[in-house]
Amino acid sequence: MQERARALRKREGRIPWGKIGRYTAVVLIVFVALAPLYWSIATAVKSGLELNASPPTLFPHTFSLENFQTDLSLSTFTHDLLNSTIIAAVTTLLALLVGILCAYAIARTKFRGKAIVLGITLSVALLPFIAMVGPLFVVFTGPIPVYNTYIALISPTS
């Protein structure tokens, strides 16, 4: 009994290097992951002279919202932002609607070839989306004339 108590006291006095290493790794990973976000925000609020300074400054010396005012005053930027919002919203809603219905049907029904359907679905998800760009361009400029429309952007992604 005394040996066990001695071993516990000896263990309590040790430095928990494993915990210290884990927390250090977590802090480093979070720092590396958030560094680009910080750099983007810091760059957005710098003045024009400070943006072009060499070497670049890590912390902004002056705080300016001039860059935001310039970008938001451009009519093309706000139009493009509206287009992106519309496309993202419609694509998300369509993908959720179709995905929920298909997932429910596959999960609740028993049918022959269910494993094959799931395998094909997963294998299609592994294909890079860029591989479809060429064939989609040919289809959207030829038989289905929807080039340069919302439908051409929404249909492949949903």
Side-chain angles (χ1 to χ4, degrees):
M1 191 71 167
Q2 288 179 352
E3 288 180 28
R4 187 172 180 195
R6 241 185 267 140
L8 284 173
R9 271 189 254 123
K10 188 176 180 182
R11 195 179 304 159
E12 287 175 0
R14 288 185 181 172
I15 298 174
W17 290 110
K19 273 189 175 181
I20 292 172
R22 257 182 272 141
Y23 285 122
T24 304
V26 167
V27 167
L28 285 173
I29 290 170
V30 168
F31 176 76
V32 169
L34 293 180
L37 178 65
Y38 168 75
W39 191 256
S40 298
I41 293 170
T43 302
V45 297
K46 288 181 182 179
S47 65
L49 291 174
E50 197 173 353
L51 279 174
N52 297 322
S54 181
T57 56
L58 187 59
F59 301 105
H61 298 296
T62 58
F63 183 83
S64 170
L65 296 177
E66 178 185 333
N67 298 327
F68 292 103
Q69 291 170 344
T70 304
D71 287 342
L72 291 175
S73 67
L74 298 173
S75 63
T76 59
F77 178 79
T78 53
H79 182 71
D80 295 342
L81 189 63
L82 178 65
N83 282 341
S84 296
T85 304
I86 291 169
I87 291 165
V90 172
T91 300
T92 302
L93 290 174
L94 281 175
L96 281 173
L97 180 69
V98 171
I100 287 171
L101 293 174
C102 291
Y104 183 80
I106 289 174
R108 291 292 182 171
T109 59
K110 293 181 181 179
F111 57 92
R112 293 175 73 180
K114 184 176 181 177
I116 294 171
V117 169
L118 290 173
I120 290 171
T121 303
L122 288 174
S123 64
V124 167
L126 293 175
L127 291 174
F129 188 73
I130 195 72
M132 294 188 338
V133 170
L136 284 174
F137 179 77
V138 171
V139 169
F140 289 161
T141 55
I144 305 172
V146 292
Y147 180 72
N148 206 16
T149 63
Y150 286 144
I151 295 170
L153 289 171
I154 293 169
S155 61
T157 54
S158 51

